[in-house]
Amino acid sequence: MTAKILPAAMALVTLLAGAAQAAQTAAERGQQTYMRVGCYQCHGSDGHGNDAGPALTPDTLPPQVIAIFIRSTPGRMPAYPKEVLSDNEIADIVAFLKAVPPPPSADSIEILRDL
């Protein structure tokens, strides 16, 4: 009897793992991809930019514009062909960027208000 239960249990675990992965949101996948391909190095972990790269959020460009720029950037940023970053991955990155809340205003930070 145990021999029959084990394969069924393994099938159930596999099914549940697949369902959990499918339930992952586009923004979550996009954040993982954003970090994996190194966007954070120039644009910050939250897309708000830093000295090396401009802010990508809160005013995120349309997905088509971002995709064109990623594929054929004229600047210092490396181009990412479809073999490296798929259209779906770019859409997920855009979903992540749109989900990032805007940074706090200077007026909401006490130490900055006192300057």
Side-chain angles (χ1 to χ4, degrees), residues 8-96:
M10 293 302 291
L12 180 60
V13 168
T14 302
L15 179 66
L16 291 174
Q21 187 176 16
Q24 187 180 37
T25 68
E28 291 168 335
R29 290 189 309 269
Q31 182 179 27
Q32 290 171 351
T33 302
Y34 181 90
M35 300 303 282
R36 178 179 52 81
V37 299
C39 303
Y40 72 92
Q41 294 174 334
C42 296
H43 301 287
S45 61
D46 55 9
H48 291 151
N50 59 35
D51 292 340
L56 302 174
T57 186
D59 298 321
T60 305
L61 295 170
Q64 301 84 352
V65 174
I66 291 175
I68 290 168
F69 189 83
I70 286 173
R71 298 274 185 247
S72 59
T73 174
R76 296 182 306 165
M77 185 178 123
Y80 290 86
K82 287 185 180 186
E83 297 79 27
V84 175
L85 197 59
S86 72
D87 290 338
N88 287 338
E89 289 172 315
I90 292 173
D92 289 345
I93 289 172
V94 172
F96 161 63

